[in-house]
Amino acid sequence: MADPTERNSAWIRRYHPRSDSDVRLVCLPHAGGSASFYHPVSAAMPPSVDVVALQYPGRQDRRAEPCATSIAELADEAVAELLPWADRPLLFFGHSLGATLGFEIARRLENDHGIVLGGLFVSARRAPSRVRVETVHLRDDQGVLAEIRRLNGTDAGLLTDPEVQRMVLPAIRADYRAIETYRYEPGPKLRCPVVCLIGDDDPKVTLDEARAWAKHTEGPFTLRAFAGGHFYLSAHQAPIVGLIAGHAATAVSPNTPYPTVQGPTTA
C-alpha cells in the first residue's frame, strides 16, 4: 500500500502529521462545516493519534466543485479517499451530518473491504433508524440562516455579511438537503464500538434518539451527555479529546475490553 502521507487529495486535511502514530482519527464535519473545524482537535491529540479531517466538496478551497447531492454519494467518494489511510486502526469522529456520514462510511468499509473501525464516535445526531421530517433545505436563504443561528453554529456577525452569505449558503443548503433526505437502509450491524455524545439541550436529538444508536452495532455502546446545545463540543474540547485518546489506547490493545455504559453520564 502506498504511503498515504505522499498522496495529495482534495478530501484530506492533515494539520499535525504524526506518521509514527498507533491510531488514525478521521474527523467528519457537520452540515456547512469544513475540515478546519477540527484543527483544534488535531492540535490537542497526543502523538499516538494521527488526525485527518475530511474536506467535503463545495466549500473553502473546494468551493468551485459541485456539492454532493446525498449522504450515499459523500460516503462512496470518501471511502475511496480513506482506503490508503487504513494502514493502522481507524477511529471516526463525526458531528451532526458527519455522524451519519461516518456510520455509512463504516458500513462500506466493513461490508466491502473487511475493515472494522476501532471505534465510531457519533456526536449530536440521532440514530440512523430514527427519522424526523425536516425541510430546512427547502427554505429561502433567510430561513436557512435562521436555522444556523438557532443552533449557534456560526458567528452571527459573519452571517450578516452578504459576501459571506453568498460564499457559504450553497454548501450549507446542499448539506442540509443531503442529510434531510437521508433514509437508513437496513443491513448488517456494525461490529465496532459506538460512542454517542450529545448536548443535553440539543433540539436536534433527544436522549431516546441517541440511545437508539445501540441497535446499530454488535459491539459495545457508550452514551455520554454534556451540558449544552447542538454545538456543545466547543465548550468541552478537553474532556472529549481525553475520551477519544483513551479509547484510541484500547484500539491498539485488542485484549483490553472497551468500557460499556448502559445510560448517559453528564459532564
Side-chain angles (χ1 to χ4, degrees):
M1 182 179 294
D3 182 354
T5 63
E6 297 177 359
R7 298 179 72 253
N8 293 318
S9 168
W11 282 81
I12 301 297
R13 298 293 180 273
R14 196 160 172 244
Y15 300 111
H16 306 91
R18 300 177 175 101
S19 299
D20 296 330
S21 66
D22 299 316
V23 177
R24 182 160 283 133
L25 173 67
V26 178
C27 295
L28 302 103
H30 52 281
S34 59
S36 58
F37 180 77
Y38 290 108
H39 185 280
V41 173
S42 175
M45 279 294 162
S48 58
V49 181
D50 185 46
V51 180
V52 299
L54 292 191
Q55 182 80 312
Y56 309 148
R59 67 216 64 217
Q60 292 187 339
D61 57 332
R62 301 189 70 186
R63 188 156 58 91
E65 301 177 43
C67 297
T69 59
S70 68
I71 294 297
E73 179 185 343
L74 276 172
D76 288 342
E77 294 186 20
V79 166
E81 295 292 333
L82 288 172
L83 282 175
W85 296 85
D87 59 337
R88 64 202 69 186
L90 292 177
L91 303 179
F92 280 9
F93 184 98
H95 183 71
S96 197
L97 174 150
T100 301
L101 177 59
F103 169 75
E104 287 295 337
I105 296 173
R107 295 177 93 187
R108 287 158 171 75
L109 288 176
E110 280 199 15
N111 298 335
D112 300 338
H113 302 282
I115 298 172
V116 179
L117 299 185
L120 171 63
F121 287 80
V122 290
S123 170
R125 185 65 185 172
R126 60 186 179 272
S129 53
R130 292 300 186 94
V131 178
R132 292 190 191 185
V133 177
E134 296 175 314
T135 57
V136 173
H137 72 281
L138 298 177
R139 299 179 186 177
D140 62 16
D141 288 352
Q142 291 307 310
V144 174
L145 292 170
E147 175 69 6
I148 296 171
R149 293 188 185 100
R150 182 175 78 98
L151 298 177
N152 294 317
T154 303
D155 182 80
L158 290 177
L159 292 176
T160 63
D161 187 325
E163 180 63 19
V164 172
Q165 293 179 12
R166 185 184 67 81
M167 289 190 296
V168 303
L169 272 171
I172 293 172
R173 186 181 299 279
D175 288 355
Y176 268 97
R177 180 184 301 113
I179 193 59
E180 291 181 342
T181 59
Y182 168 82
R183 293 297 180 266
Y184 167 71
E185 295 185 6
K189 293 182 179 182
L190 295 176
R191 288 181 282 161
C192 66
V194 173
V195 181
C196 181
L197 309 178
I198 63 171
D200 62 6
D201 194 32
D202 186 349
K204 303 294 284 187
V205 55
T206 67
L207 193 58
D208 183 61
E209 289 171 329
R211 286 196 184 104
W213 276 101
K215 300 178 180 179
H216 292 281
T217 184
E218 295 176 351
F221 173 71
T222 302
L223 175 58
R224 181 87 180 267
F226 292 84
H230 193 63
F231 283 91
Y232 71 92
L233 68 175
S234 298
H236 299 283
Q237 178 180 299
I240 292 172
V241 167
L243 187 64
I244 297 171
H247 190 100
T250 69
V252 295
S253 302
N255 295 324
T256 302
Y258 290 99
T260 303
V261 177
Q262 299 301 323
T265 56
T266 302

